[in-house]
Amino acid sequence: MKRLRLLLGAGIAAALAVTSLAVAGTAHAEADRTITSNLTGYHNGYFFTYWKDSGNVTMNLGAGGQYSVSMSNLNNSVVGKGWKPGSSHTVNYSGSFNCGGNCYLALYGWTTNPLIEYYVVETYGNYNPSNGTQSLGTVTTDGSTYDLYRTLRTNQPSIIGNATFYQYWSVRRNKRVGGTITTANHFNAWSAAGLTLGQHDYQVLATEGYQSSVSSNITVSEGSSPTTTGPTTSSPRPSSPGVSSPPPNNGGGACKVTNQVSAWNTGLTDNITITNTGSTAINGWQLKFNLASGQTITSGWNATYSPSSGAVTATNASYNGSIPPGGSTTIGFQANHNGNNAAPSGFTLNGAACS
């Protein structure tokens, strides 16, 4: 039986080839949107992707991380809502998933350097993606055992064009639709099995269908600070808890900040990644930066922002205050602008400048 994933890379390449759009925001939530053609962008603070090669696919973008999709008479399609860039955060999701054949519901993403396509499969239809592959072990997390696999794609479409790359898989034995995905546990298990991820591109809670009829209604959000495990273990090791207010100068100066601005008419979104480049954990943080002239923050995620213009301070949420050495966390905001859509400048973390 032909594997469902054979055509997805072509879809992602096509999706990234189209213009990434966002709807001008206000202080209120963005209006619902209906997508029927290949597109990527941002909606209500979440990244979304829509791709199909043929068929009838209607995606509706709702409040926060909610989306619904109906697929019929299709060859291959994948849609989802999540984050860009992805990370090892904890993901919560809920909703419904109905499959009339070959389909997945999975946390899905890409990295570069190395180029990797990965899946944490929560449920699937009449085809198990692990069929015919070599097992690399298991990881027990979030109430079930997941089987680990790696497959090779040779000269196939990807987010950077045709390339040869690996796919990493965690396939849940006890299927479900709704719960918590402790993403770090899968990343750690893959690493222990010799499967190395690169720099994160996007990550979505995806609905995928291949020559089947599929519908879903999914809401995704970022969960609390994760509890990490290694492979083949059923007892997770607790991680350092996050804190809601940072101690002064704890880890300041050992940081790198990158951001990604997506602008339109009079609005923009900016996803900011904070990386701890030091040798000790950062436990609690405040990121300060200068917002470009004429910009006003209207909403934000994964941090609190004050004031809404000028010299802004972003303070960690309760679940992302701890950043281990080499680790990172992603925050972001939506803002109005008067024509100046420049990125923020002058980043400092806990009082010291970041590179």
Side-chain angles (χ1 to χ4, degrees):
M1 183 175 183
K2 187 173 182 179
R3 273 197 330 107
L4 169 61
R5 267 298 301 122
L6 291 180
L7 295 178
L8 179 57
I12 299 306
L16 292 179
V18 300
T19 302
S20 182
L21 300 177
V23 174
T26 66
H28 304 287
E30 295 179 64
D32 293 356
R33 296 178 63 185
T34 298
I35 312 296
T36 57
S37 58
N38 291 348
L39 188 68
T40 64
Y42 292 88
H43 182 261
N44 279 326
Y46 288 82
F47 176 80
F48 72 86
T49 180
Y50 172 113
W51 172 81
K52 67 178 179 182
D53 57 5
S54 65
N56 302 318
V57 180
T58 300
M59 182 185 193
N60 296 300
L61 303 175
Q66 188 272 334
Y67 76 90
S68 62
V69 64
S70 176
M71 304 177 179
S72 63
N73 299 319
L74 75 148
N75 184 58
N76 193 205
S77 176
V78 60
V79 307
K81 210 169 186 180
W83 301 269
K84 183 173 183 178
S87 73
S88 59
H89 56 189
T90 297
V91 175
N92 291 333
Y93 77 101
S94 60
S96 60
F97 177 79
N98 300 289
C99 174
N102 253 357
C103 53
Y104 299 156
L105 182 68
L107 184 66
Y108 169 79
W110 286 86
T111 72
T112 56
N113 298 318
L115 181 66
I116 301 294
E117 182 182 40
Y118 65 83
Y119 281 91
V120 178
V121 179
E122 293 288 279
T123 190
Y124 53 88
N126 60 16
Y127 182 74
N128 186 330
S130 64
N131 287 354
T133 59
Q134 181 181 0
S135 174
L136 295 177
T138 63
V139 60
T140 300
T141 181
D142 303 320
S144 182
T145 296
Y146 292 74
D147 295 300
L148 310 181
Y149 301 90
R150 183 181 70 174
T151 51
L152 179 65
R153 302 278 284 149
T154 303
N155 194 29
Q156 297 296 322
S158 75
I159 58 172
I160 62 170
N162 281 6
T164 296
F165 55 92
Y166 283 111
Q167 299 168 319
Y168 297 168
W169 300 83
S170 287
V171 182
R172 187 179 177 93
R173 292 180 180 177
N174 300 325
K175 298 179 182 180
R176 66 174 180 176
V177 180
T180 296
I181 302 173
T182 309
T183 311
N185 289 349
H186 299 277
F187 290 176
N188 290 342
W190 293 340
S191 178
L195 310 184
T196 302
L197 291 170
Q199 182 178 354
H200 285 278
D201 198 85
Y202 71 78
Q203 177 187 73
V204 297
L205 206 295
T207 300
E208 182 177 353
Y210 176 73
Q211 297 182 356
S212 56
S213 296
V214 186
S215 64
S216 69
N217 189 330
I218 300 297
T219 299
V220 64
S221 64
E222 185 154 11
S224 58
S225 181
T227 297
T228 59
T229 70
T232 65
T233 179
S234 59
S235 300
R237 302 188 302 271
S239 62
S240 300
V243 296
S244 57
S245 58
N249 297 321
N250 187 0
C255 58
K256 177 181 179 181
V257 171
T258 58
N259 57 5
Q260 185 175 46
V261 175
S262 178
W264 62 94
N265 297 334
T266 60
L268 61 84
T269 59
D270 189 10
N271 280 285
I272 302 170
T273 298
I274 308 166
T275 301
N276 180 1
T277 59
S279 58
T280 59
I282 296 173
N283 292 307
W285 49 263
Q286 286 187 330
L287 181 72
K288 295 186 178 183
F289 55 86
N290 297 315
L291 207 61
S293 176
Q295 295 181 10
T296 302
I297 294 175
T298 58
S299 62
W301 48 94
N302 299 335
T304 57
Y305 300 83
S306 180
S308 60
S309 61
V312 177
T313 298
T315 303
N316 66 265
S318 61
Y319 51 80
N320 63 359
S322 180
I323 309 176
S328 62
T329 189
T330 299
I331 64 175
F333 61 84
Q334 182 167 307
N336 292 331
H337 68 82
N338 60 5
N340 183 359
N341 57 13
S345 60
F347 289 101
T348 65
L349 190 71
N350 292 345
C354 293
S355 61

